[in-house]
Amino acid sequence: RDALVAVVCNLKPANMRGIKSQGMLLCASDKDHKTVEVLRIPKGSKPGERITGESFSEAPDAQLNPKKKIFEKVQVDLTTDDSLQVMYKGELLRTSAGVITAPTLKSAVIR
């Protein structure tokens, strides 16, 4: 309750179970997908703030083309390390307030 979450918000809106979805909540998951945890956003982060990494220099696409499966290609490299920190291709993901983490899942996949 009253927590910030990580959301992919430039997906093309899609109907899911009769409801129009305009974003996707990012969570850490174990390899078997039996344990799922909402990512922890650092205190002091601002709602709507962009998640970045050191080498991110381009502005994000306004809307991802679902036919190109861009997020699916990126998702395979989203993980947590042994310190619970969220990484993309080995690079820490952060907001202006610090690094994004998972509550307990080490070496988890991010979906």
Side-chain angles (χ1 to χ4, degrees), residues 18-75:
I19 298 171
K20 185 160 286 212
S21 172
Q22 297 188 17
M24 180 172 41
L25 175 68
L26 292 180
C27 295
S29 173
D30 63 6
K31 303 287 186 221
D32 298 328
H33 307 296
K34 292 183 179 181
T35 303
V36 177
E37 300 175 340
V38 175
L39 299 179
R40 289 186 174 159
I41 305 303
K43 289 183 176 160
S45 299
K46 299 172 186 93
E49 166 174 14
R50 184 174 164 212
I51 294 171
T52 63
E54 284 291 321
S55 66
F56 295 15
S57 59
E58 296 181 28
D61 295 338
Q63 186 175 82
L64 298 180
N65 183 338
K67 291 181 182 177
K68 292 186 178 180
K69 307 256 184 232
I70 295 168
F71 181 76
E72 290 81 353
K73 293 174 186 173
V74 169
Q75 187 273 322

Side-chain angles (χ1 to χ4, degrees), residues 4-6 26 37-42 84 86 99-104:
L4 295 178
V5 295
L26 292 180
E37 300 175 340
V38 175
L39 299 179
R40 289 186 174 159
I41 305 303
L84 306 174
V86 176
V99 176
I100 298 167
T101 59
T104 65

